[in-house]
Amino acid sequence: MKLLYFAWLRTKIGTAEESVDLPAGVSDVGGLIDWLRGRGPGYADALANLAVVKVAVNQEYVGLDHPVKPGDEVALFPPVTGG
Amino acid sequence: MKLLYFAWLRTKIGTAEESVDLPAGVSDVGGLIDWLRGRGPGYADALANLAVVKVAVNQEYVGLDHPVKPGDEVALFPPVTGG
Amino acid sequence: MAVRVQREDFDIGAELGALTRGNTRIGGLTSFVGLVRDMAGGDAVGAMTLEHYPGMTERQLEAIETEARRRWPLDATLIVHRIGRLEPGDRIVLVACASAHREAAFQACHFLIDWLKTKAPFWKQEETPAGPRWVDAKSTDDDAAARWERG
Amino acid sequence: MAVRVQREDFDIGAELGALTRGNTRIGGLTSFVGLVRDMAGGDAVGAMTLEHYPGMTERQLEAIETEARRRWPLDATLIVHRIGRLEPGDRIVLVACASAHREAAFQACHFLIDWLKTKAPFWKQEETPAGPRWVDAKSTDDDAAARWERG
């Protein structure tokens, strides 16, 4: 699956995009975020407060219980500030 | 005093502007309109329904009880339709 | 802070560009352009002629603009209204408000056009297949203006 | 019905002129332009950089535009949003709605910018004397967007 990070999530994690295999036992966004937190201090810091993390799967906003599967594009980013 | 008529009041009265001496006994807008109605059928027709006649004295909207005096500019016109 | 009544068309880009140029406190610019429609009340309209009360029109527009600036924190406002003969698709009026905040810019612009429509002495005469016809004032315009009466 | 994300500035007059040209059903055109302010949260801001999520941004803008057209009778809509580095006074976004009726044009334009601000994936990073700073989402923007939730 493809993972995308924007704005300060990108800065904290240190990369804009990465490809990972769907980790064993992960079936939804919440599980994926738990797994990502274990990948290093940058991830743990970026994902510490989910109140300020938005998630899109295949370019649609979703909640933490949304399923993830191989091939998905999962994006994590802060609340938007355009306009 | 100077009298101005706009839109269909002008069409019905048949003139855009005229100068008249303040008629004897006329002291307010209502009195002036009563006097104008007697000047001819065009005036009477134009001023038949005061619900659709607006009045400005010296370029400010006023009511029928507003005083009129020599030298005033009195305008009569329908509800506005700009914009 | 400008009010103009003119026969000529206006250049929206030039007008709006000039309104905000050099003022970096401005965060939002809301504008409204009114255009001549080819249908009014179900009858085909060929063109219209706009008449106004010179002098009082400018005074009313300035008073409306002053009221908007009293109610909202505005950095710039503009009202341009055309008179004379206009055809379908022609621009009639431009109203624009610039402010640090978009909500003020929206509210003030909406207020200006609503009040202009019921207070500024302009009158439209439409050319219809049955001959010229003075446009009646609309109660929906009175209702729109009344929303803002509370001040 | 157009949505664009671009680095270049836009020409307001050309954009708005094109939006209404040839459609004489249109009676009103409301537009909003967002500009970079030189002050944000009390600190002087030199410039900002706008980042977005290519693909999802366009999808979100199109979805917002579709929702506006479902709610109001619109003849034309336009959203242009810039990305990249912008300086104080630069234009960020243009939103415009044209309709037979001015109330629909106002409501829809206001709705579009309010929803864009909370739903379209753009992020601003400001340059401040203390270094770059990601702009926080504003609760007032959430409140403005929430007004329109009822549908």
Side-chain angles (χ1 to χ4, degrees), chain B residues 15-31:
Chain B
T15 188
E17 180 175 340
E18 58 185 332
S19 288
V20 300
D21 291 326
L22 185 65
V26 167
S27 62
D28 63 14
V29 168

Side-chain angles (χ1 to χ4, degrees), chain A residues 27-72:
Chain A
S27 62
D28 63 14
V29 167
L32 179 65
I33 288 175
D34 282 341
W35 177 79
L36 284 169
R37 282 180 176 134
R39 295 192 83 202
Y43 290 89
D45 182 26
L47 300 169
N49 176 11
L50 293 190
V52 290
V53 174
K54 301 285 183 183
V55 184
V57 171
N58 299 325
Q59 306 190 350
E60 298 285 349
Y61 288 107
V62 298
L64 295 179
D65 58 353
H66 190 85
V68 292
K69 54 186 191 311
D72 279 351

Side-chain angles (χ1 to χ4, degrees), chain D residues 118-139:
Chain D
T118 58
K119 295 181 193 293
F122 293 99
W123 301 273
K124 287 176 182 143
Q125 191 181 43
E126 295 174 333
E127 299 171 17
T128 78
R133 180 179 63 191
W134 290 101
V135 174
D136 284 331
K138 287 188 290 196
S139 62

Side-chain angles (χ1 to χ4, degrees), chain C residues 114 118 138-148:
Chain C
D114 283 351
T118 59
K138 286 187 292 196
S139 62
T140 52
D141 285 337
D142 291 335
D143 296 343
R147 282 184 301 194
W148 306 100

Side-chain angles (χ1 to χ4, degrees), chain D:
Chain D
M1 356 293 75
V3 155
R4 298 202 321 265
V5 179
Q6 62 188 40
R7 291 193 174 269
E8 320 81 69
D9 193 12
F10 45 82
D11 179 328
I12 300 177
E15 299 287 355
L16 298 185
L19 208 59
T20 59
R21 190 164 299 129
N23 182 349
T24 53
R25 291 188 307 275
I26 294 172
L29 167 67
T30 303
S31 70
F32 176 81
V33 177
L35 301 111
V36 181
R37 297 169 60 201
D38 66 358
M39 295 291 281
D43 299 317
V45 171
M48 62 168 56
T49 301
L50 263 151
E51 164 176 336
H52 80 308
Y53 180 175
M56 182 171 172
T57 307
E58 291 81 356
R59 287 172 67 140
Q60 282 293 312
L61 294 179
E62 282 164 10
I64 295 167
E65 197 180 49
T66 299
E67 178 63 20
R69 300 174 68 84
R70 189 184 70 76
R71 295 190 186 197
W72 293 281
L74 302 175
D75 283 278
T77 57
L78 175 67
I79 304 174
V80 184
H81 201 297
R82 294 177 68 192
I83 52 170
R85 187 171 186 278
L86 299 173
E87 301 195 335
D90 282 351
R91 288 177 273 266
I92 304 170
V93 63
L94 169 65
V95 173
C97 292
S99 173
H101 305 289
R102 79 175 179 288
E103 196 61 31
F106 263 103
Q107 297 281 328
C109 185
H110 206 159
F111 165 83
L112 281 179
I113 186 66
D114 282 353
W115 267 31
L116 182 159
K117 284 213 165 236
T118 58
K119 295 181 193 293
F122 293 99
W123 301 273
K124 287 176 182 143
Q125 191 181 43
E126 295 174 333
E127 299 171 17
T128 78
R133 180 179 63 191
W134 290 101
V135 174
D136 284 331
K138 287 188 290 196
S139 62
T140 52
D141 285 337
D142 291 335
D143 296 343
R147 282 184 301 194
W148 305 101
E149 287 294 345
R150 62 200 177 284

